[in-house]
Amino acid sequence: MSSITLRDIRKSYGKATRAAVEKLTLEIPKSEFLCLLGPSGCGKTTTLRMIAGLEFPTEGQILVDGKKIVSVDDGIYVPPEKRGMGLVFQNYALWPHMTVVENVEFGLKLHKVAKPERDQIVNDVLQKLGIERYRDRLPAQMSGGQQQRVALARMLALKPEIILLDEPLSNLDAKLRLEMRAELKRIHQEMGSTVVFVTHDQWEAMTLATTIAVMSEGELQQLGTPDDIYERPANRFVAEFIGNLPINITELNDTNKGALANWTRSLLAAQKIDAAKVGSVGIRPESVRISAQAVEGACAAKIVDIVPTGGSWIVELAVQDEQYFAIISDAPAQKAGEEIWITVEANHIHVFDGGGKRISG
């Protein structure tokens, strides 16, 4: 399998004030499943397209197994068809007048693979993806999930060492997305290909990737395992972007003397962190505990709403005038409007300086 290296990649368009990708350096080892994650406009798709050869960087180099396939300074540019990569787009891009078999074998024909071998490869990949029974159908006669499998089959038939996926699941309903996530994991485990997957869906990234690269405004914010990204966000942007329910953030400026800020300062003191050096503190909703009785280290709050989500409950709270959230695994005995108390273990806080950079937690 192949590794990918990006060195000081920059991509700008015309006279735009901000580059689409800014000085991106990234090492993607062989057989890695890397997810480029971030909001719309963060540069993740542009990065994928530069790896694929569909975009040309303004500056920098791209290497595969240590060999340059793009170098702006050296004038090196290997065209897409010679990079040995498989690419699947958000839209399926199937030939509408071709059957499933004809779509899947299209790339094999271009590579002049003999018919007996071609037939064997097509049959194998159709069976692996569970679409063999649709082999004679046209794309218009298939569901979105089936068409997505055909697009994957067409790419996998070429047995690429590098697989590039640009939000391939975003057009599918919830059930099909779950099925295709499992399918992609299985394909990665069986083939061992190096996969670069673009998505704005954090849970897609958390459940699929071995490594996640979080991007914002063209810059890499953090590179790490799903656990690293979630449990030790490098900065406030990552902390706020990752999480099914947004992280609770308390600003600790000089003017914030409210009950929530004072309680948060007590948590910092328990961790021996100087509150004067802290800009904000984040606490994930699942770390918040609620109690009907006042206990040591608790903060008074009022329940605003309780939302069941199936297996857990989201509790919206008000601490004076500030909104706060908790996620609990057991149905609360209290109701909206009732006074309760919240606690959190001091080592479950995420501490950021005034610029949003992680200090501790």
Side-chain angles (χ1 to χ4, degrees):
M1 296 301 110
S2 300
S3 62
I4 307 170
T5 303
L6 283 71
R7 292 180 182 165
D8 292 326
I9 290 294
R10 185 175 189 273
K11 177 64 178 180
S12 61
Y13 294 95
K15 297 181 179 180
T17 56
R18 180 175 63 84
V21 176
E22 186 65 71
K23 294 297 180 182
L24 176 61
T25 295
L26 195 59
E27 293 281 347
I28 308 174
K30 295 179 180 181
S31 300
E32 189 86 347
F33 196 127
L34 176 90
C35 182
L36 295 172
L37 174 67
S40 297
C42 72
K44 56 188 184 296
T45 294
T46 302
T47 299
L48 186 86
R49 290 174 64 85
M50 286 190 287
I51 295 172
L54 304 179
E55 297 271 4
F56 190 76
T58 308
E59 299 174 15
Q61 298 178 341
I62 300 175
L63 299 86
V64 172
D65 287 339
K67 182 180 178 181
K68 295 176 184 177
I69 60 170
V70 175
S71 177
V72 176
D73 290 342
D74 299 324
I76 296 172
Y77 175 74
V78 176
E81 66 273 13
K82 294 185 178 180
R83 297 191 182 190
M85 301 178 182
L87 177 61
V88 176
F89 295 97
Q90 180 178 348
N91 58 350
Y92 316 127
L94 300 176
W95 295 106
H97 63 289
M98 292 184 180
T99 65
V100 168
V101 167
E102 290 169 338
N103 266 284
V104 174
E105 71 177 2
F106 183 77
L108 297 171
K109 282 185 173 181
L110 290 180
H111 284 77
K112 302 188 185 308
V113 176
K115 190 175 188 318
E117 183 183 356
R118 193 169 71 229
D119 290 344
Q120 183 63 51
I121 293 172
V122 170
N123 290 335
D124 287 347
V125 76
L126 291 181
Q127 287 178 3
K128 282 183 179 179
L129 288 173
I131 51 175
E132 200 278 334
R133 59 187 167 180
Y134 308 123
R135 57 185 301 119
D136 297 320
R137 290 192 187 182
L138 295 171
Q141 299 170 319
M142 306 176 72
S143 69
Q146 291 162 354
Q147 290 184 56
Q148 186 65 77
R149 281 184 166 88
V150 176
L152 282 169
R154 181 180 57 190
M155 178 268 294
L156 294 174
L158 294 172
K159 299 179 180 178
E161 293 196 354
I162 295 174
I163 296 174
L164 307 177
L165 304 170
D166 186 8
E167 303 212 40
L169 310 184
S170 59
N171 290 334
L172 306 181
D173 61 37
K175 183 175 182 295
L176 283 173
R177 284 170 79 106
L178 286 173
E179 290 179 4
M180 288 307 300
R181 283 179 199 173
E183 196 66 53
L184 288 173
K185 279 194 114 170
R186 184 183 65 78
I187 288 169
H188 177 247
Q189 290 167 356
E190 287 186 0
M191 294 185 62
S193 300
T194 305
V195 179
V196 183
F197 184 99
V198 163
T199 184
H200 63 275
D201 186 325
Q202 54 174 300
W203 290 114
E204 213 159 77
M206 297 288 283
T207 55
L208 277 172
T210 53
T211 304
I212 299 174
V214 183
M215 298 183 68
S216 175
E217 296 186 346
E219 297 183 356
L220 179 65
Q221 301 296 312
Q222 186 172 357
L223 179 70
T225 66
D227 286 343
D228 290 337
I229 298 294
Y230 189 78
E231 295 175 5
R232 294 189 58 81
N235 55 44
R236 183 167 159 176
F237 170 82
V238 176
E240 292 184 283
F241 186 74
I242 300 294
N244 189 32
L245 199 64
I247 191 171
N248 297 302
I249 294 287
T250 303
E251 304 286 352
L252 289 188
N253 51 53
D254 292 338
T255 61
N256 193 350
K257 304 294 184 182
L260 185 59
N262 289 334
W263 175 67
T264 304
R265 290 187 179 95
S266 72
L267 296 174
L268 291 172
Q271 290 287 87
K272 296 183 170 58
I273 299 172
D274 184 359
K277 298 178 180 179
V278 176
S280 59
V281 174
I283 299 176
R284 296 211 177 273
E286 57 268 31
S287 297
V288 179
R289 299 290 178 264
I290 67 174
S291 171
Q293 305 295 325
V295 295
E296 185 179 355
C299 180
K302 179 184 286 187
I303 296 177
V304 176
D305 195 14
I306 299 171
V307 181
T309 62
S312 63
W313 285 259
I314 296 172
V315 183
E316 181 184 351
L317 303 164
V319 183
Q320 291 186 338
D321 295 328
E322 299 190 58
Q323 186 184 53
Y324 221 68
F325 287 98
I327 296 177
I328 57 178
S329 56
D330 296 319
Q334 300 80 16
K335 295 181 174 56
E338 293 188 27
E339 300 284 343
I340 53 97
W341 297 82
I342 60 173
T343 58
V344 65
E345 292 183 28
N347 61 350
H348 285 182
I349 63 177
H350 301 273
V351 187
F352 308 101
D353 63 19
K357 186 177 179 181
R358 183 183 190 87
I359 297 176
S360 180

